[in-house]
Amino acid sequence: MLFRQLFEPVSSTYTYLLGCEETGEAILIDPVLPTWQRDLAEVATLGLKLVVTLDTHVHADHITSALRLKHEAGSRIAHPAVDGLACVDLPIAEGTPLLVGSLRIDPLFTPGHTDGHHAYRIGNQVLTGDALLIDACGRTDFQSGDPTALYRSVAGKLFALPDETLVYPGHDYEGRWVSSIAQEKTRNPRLGGNRSLESFVALMNGLNLAYPKFIDYAVPGNRECGVCPAGVPDNLSQYCDQIGESRQG
């Protein structure tokens, strides 16, 4: 398997490129609109063809480039079936692997950050999206978030994976790239150290975080698989524009 971890700086999002060396087929997981050209260039550099894009959930902090990549590269759009998006070509669900060439991607239903969130296990790696971050976890105060559900997703599914499983998160804001299940079980300040459900729920309900600045545009745009809605103000235009370019208008 060819594997690349790519970083988008506007929303601090990790995009994952996986390629099958036997067939030359590739998948991008959680691709971001401003970096769609960079991602396609990386696919081409590796001698691969993009056949699928896949998102972990309906994002609130950036817009997926799934639809743009479908138009540019002919890739199909995969997304959790539970979200019921009309624009999806390949609805995915836990228990049914997604195959890309010889690669097997096992969806894990991990609600709590959103009610449709999925993580993806590929061999000894797990892409945890926003459910489990390095020394953190996704917030639970919007998009039908639920701290009880998130606790059960992490403790019951992700922490049940082998300790040596590598954890690749959906975001990081401090320059970290990878963790492990053993590390997060031991030292994650929110979920590690055998924290109880009651303690976790109280912690998450008491965070009092600011309202996400791009959510009102990102969620409807992502429910259309990557459309930048009309009316995005100039101070948020970087979430829609290609990296390195400014909006003309």
Side-chain angles (χ1 to χ4, degrees), residues 3 15 42 71 77 83 87 95 137 149 151 186 195 209 217 231:
F3 180 87
T15 295
E42 189 71 21
H71 291 161
I77 298 173
D83 285 327
C87 50
C137 65
Y151 181 94
T186 301
R195 181 186 285 274
L209 299 172
Y217 306 100

Side-chain angles (χ1 to χ4, degrees), residues 129-194:
D130 289 20
L132 178 63
L133 306 175
I134 298 174
D135 286 346
C137 65
R139 56 194 291 181
T140 58
D141 56 339
F142 56 76
Q143 286 182 273
S144 301
D146 182 338
T148 297
L150 182 59
Y151 181 94
R152 289 172 176 163
S153 293
V154 175
K157 289 189 178 178
L158 298 178
F159 283 178
L161 297 172
D163 281 353
E164 62 271 19
T165 303
L166 297 176
V167 171
Y168 287 95
H171 301 277
D172 195 80
Y173 307 97
E174 298 184 28
R176 299 165 299 191
W177 292 74
V178 62
S179 183
S180 68
I181 291 296
Q183 176 173 308
E184 297 309 314
K185 285 166 65 175
T186 301
R187 57 174 263 184
N188 189 294
R190 293 186 178 177
L191 287 151
N194 296 313

Side-chain angles (χ1 to χ4, degrees), residues 21-162:
E21 295 182 275
E22 297 175 15
T23 66
E25 294 182 334
I27 180 171
L28 283 166
I29 299 175
D30 283 345
V32 184
L33 189 57
T35 48
W36 70 268
Q37 287 192 324
R38 177 207 64 183
D39 295 346
L40 278 186
E42 189 71 21
V43 171
T45 297
L46 294 172
L48 301 171
K49 176 179 174 55
L50 182 66
V51 296
V52 182
T53 60
L54 174 63
D55 279 280
T56 50
H57 62 293
V58 175
H59 306 279
D61 56 1
H62 68 267
I63 292 180
T64 178
S65 60
L67 188 61
R68 185 61 181 263
L69 291 169
K70 179 178 181 176
H71 291 161
E72 298 289 337
S75 48
R76 292 186 293 172
I77 298 173
H79 189 93
V82 67
D83 285 327
L85 305 187
C87 50
V88 170
D89 302 306
L90 297 171
I92 62 97
E94 183 174 285
T96 302
L98 176 62
L99 303 178
V100 179
S102 62
L103 305 182
R104 174 182 170 130
I105 300 165
D106 287 296
L108 300 173
F109 184 41
T110 48
H113 173 62
T114 70
D115 54 359
H117 191 286
H118 281 63
Y120 302 115
R121 186 181 183 189
I122 307 102
N124 72 334
Q125 304 170 349
V126 60
L127 311 185
T128 54
D130 289 20
L132 178 63
L133 306 175
I134 298 174
D135 286 346
C137 65
R139 56 194 291 181
T140 58
D141 56 339
F142 56 76
Q143 286 182 273
S144 301
D146 182 338
T148 297
L150 182 59
Y151 181 94
R152 289 172 176 163
S153 293
V154 175
K157 289 189 178 178
L158 298 178
F159 283 178
L161 297 172

